[in-house]
């Protein structure tokens, strides 16, 4: 019998993958939520292991080269991993330990890797960040982390459905990041207390 989905009626023990197209604002909203919750030990904001240089900008991730990533993978260091944009992404086993101990973990997830994420974290609440597609290209250009060619490739990446998973909570980030972040903070707070 699968465990019940993580809902606002069920406190604790849940992964909260934040997903959406490149440029939609996942990292921005996650960082605002992280600052809102400060050092609460029951809510973890996941530091991903990525084969992206540490000084690339954006999220605070653990930067490793591909050889190190493969070694970590072979050693069973990741609860789940995926490839995208020519990069490798790993979620450390410590995140699964935290969730299995009853905690919440917020992670910048992948729509395409959602089936693998759900196998590793059967109790989850997916949050899909949306925004007017016409503004994504401008946001990525302003961010300046990727080349124009890499941005074009990111924008061409198809949306992936995740059949069999509970419908995600959608948060529209077309307006101010503060408004969208407030909605994310409110949802995380409800999932943490189960009220
Ligand atoms: N509501 C918003 N209004 C205007 N700019 C925004 C908003 N949200 C995020 N941005 C800006 O858009 C750019 C992309 O945001 P961010 O890096 O958070 O997106 P992302 O979804 O994490 O993208 P990726 O998946 O490529 O990492 C950043 O420069 C960020 O400052
Ligand atoms: O298109 P999908 O599968 O949803 O996401 C693909 C990848 O792009 C984003 O990473 P980054 O922070 O932009 O490097 C996501 O976090 C995921 O790792």
């Amino acid at each position: 019998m699968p465990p019940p989905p993580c809902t606002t009626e069920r406190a604790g023990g849940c992964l909260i993958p934040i997903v959406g197209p490149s440029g939609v604002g996942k990292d921005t909203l996650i960082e605002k939520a992280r600052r809102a919750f400060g050092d609460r030990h029951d809510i973890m904001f996941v530091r991903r292991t990525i084969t992206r240089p540490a000084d690339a900008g954006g999220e605070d991730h653990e930067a490793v080269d591909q050889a190190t990533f493969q070694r970590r993978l072979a050693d069973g260091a990741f609860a789940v991993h995926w490839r995208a944009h020519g990069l490798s992404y790993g979620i450390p086993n410590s995140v699964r330990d935290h969730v299995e101990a009853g905690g919440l973990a917020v992670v910048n997830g992948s729509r395409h890797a959602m089936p693998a994420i759900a196998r590793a974290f059967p109790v989850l609440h997916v949050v899909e960040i949306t925004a007017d597609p016409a503004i994504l290209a401008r946001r990525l250009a302003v961010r300046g982390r990727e080349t124009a060619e890499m941005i074009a490739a990111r924008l061409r990446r198809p949306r992936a459905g995740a059949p069999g998973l509970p419908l995600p909570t959608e948060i529209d980030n077309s307006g101010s990041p503060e408004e969208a972040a407030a909605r994310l903070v409110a949802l995380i707070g409800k999932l943490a207390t189960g009220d």
Side-chain angles (χ1 to χ4, degrees), residues 18-22 26-27 48 50 52 59 82-85 87 89 108-113 143 145-146 154 157-158 160:
I18 311 297
V19 300
S22 191
K26 300 183 293 298
D27 286 324
R48 303 190 296 180
I50 307 175
R52 176 165 54 214
E59 75 181 274
W82 61 87
R83 287 276 300 170
H85 313 310
L87 300 167
Y89 300 80
N108 186 331
S110 159
R111 297 159 298 175
H112 290 75
R143 181 176 73 182
R145 185 177 76 190
E146 286 84 16
R154 281 174 171 251
R157 190 169 167 84

Side-chain angles (χ1 to χ4, degrees), residues 85-157:
H85 313 310
L87 300 167
S88 295
Y89 300 80
I91 306 304
N93 286 326
S94 55
V95 178
R96 182 167 47 205
D97 298 343
H98 175 79
V99 170
E100 287 180 351
L104 288 191
V106 181
V107 63
N108 186 331
S110 159
R111 297 159 298 175
H112 290 75
M114 198 44 68
I117 292 171
R119 283 193 294 274
F121 296 90
V123 181
L124 46 75
H125 188 110
V126 181
V127 177
E128 183 169 15
I129 309 300
T130 61
D132 179 345
I135 62 178
L136 297 183
R138 186 170 68 247
R139 286 186 182 174
L140 290 173
V142 167
R143 181 176 73 182
R145 185 177 76 190
E146 286 84 16
T147 65
E149 293 74 20
M150 293 164 81
I151 288 173
R154 281 174 171 251
L155 294 172
R156 283 196 301 270
R157 190 169 167 84

